[in-house]
Amino acid sequence: MTMTVQQSVIIIAIVSLTTIFTRFAMFVLFPESKTPPKFIRYLGDVLPLAITGMLVVYSLKDVTPFSGNHGIPEAIAVLALVLVYRWRKNSLLAIFVGTILYMVLVQTIFA
């Protein structure tokens, strides 16, 4: 499907406005002076863990332990991620270390 420049500009503008709206809607709906509803606080507690679990399942869904590398680089990267998270309690650092380690393993040792 080929789009004209005008169609592309309109789509980008709509996506940008929608993104800005969804980012700022939380500050309008739940100002700092007001306590958010209990359901919203519950979602804030459980959704990060649910999304993390979903990402782990999605990233490991194609690993076949009975062929190729037997999932060894994935297992090493996940182990490193867990250890770094337990050590520093920093999700971004753990994800960064796990990803870099996995890429190094796949590109060099298990190539």
Side-chain angles (χ1 to χ4, degrees):
M1 181 171 119
T2 305
M3 292 189 288
T4 64
V5 173
Q6 286 178 326
Q7 290 172 327
S8 298
V9 169
I10 290 171
I11 289 173
I12 291 171
I14 290 172
V15 169
S16 300
L17 289 174
T18 305
T19 301
I20 290 170
F21 174 75
T22 56
R23 296 286 190 251
F24 288 107
M26 296 301 121
F27 296 106
V28 174
L29 293 173
F30 309 112
E32 194 171 331
S33 61
K34 206 171 153 185
T35 304
K38 192 174 180 179
F39 180 69
I40 297 298
R41 286 184 282 150
Y42 171 74
L43 288 178
D45 289 338
V46 298
L47 278 182
L49 293 175
I51 291 170
T52 302
M54 186 174 65
L55 288 173
V56 169
V57 169
Y58 180 76
S59 64
L60 297 177
K61 70 178 175 59
D62 292 329
V63 174
T64 53
F66 303 111
S67 67
N69 299 330
H70 307 287
I72 294 171
E74 290 84 359
I76 292 171
V78 168
L79 180 65
L81 189 147
V82 169
L83 291 175
V84 168
Y85 181 77
R86 292 190 70 152
W87 175 47
R88 303 301 297 176
K89 301 286 186 207
N90 186 334
S91 300
L92 290 178
L93 178 65
I95 292 169
F96 180 76
V97 169
T99 303
I100 295 298
L101 179 61
Y102 175 74
M103 292 308 294
V104 167
L105 289 172
V106 171
Q107 297 290 327
T108 58
I109 298 172
F110 295 97

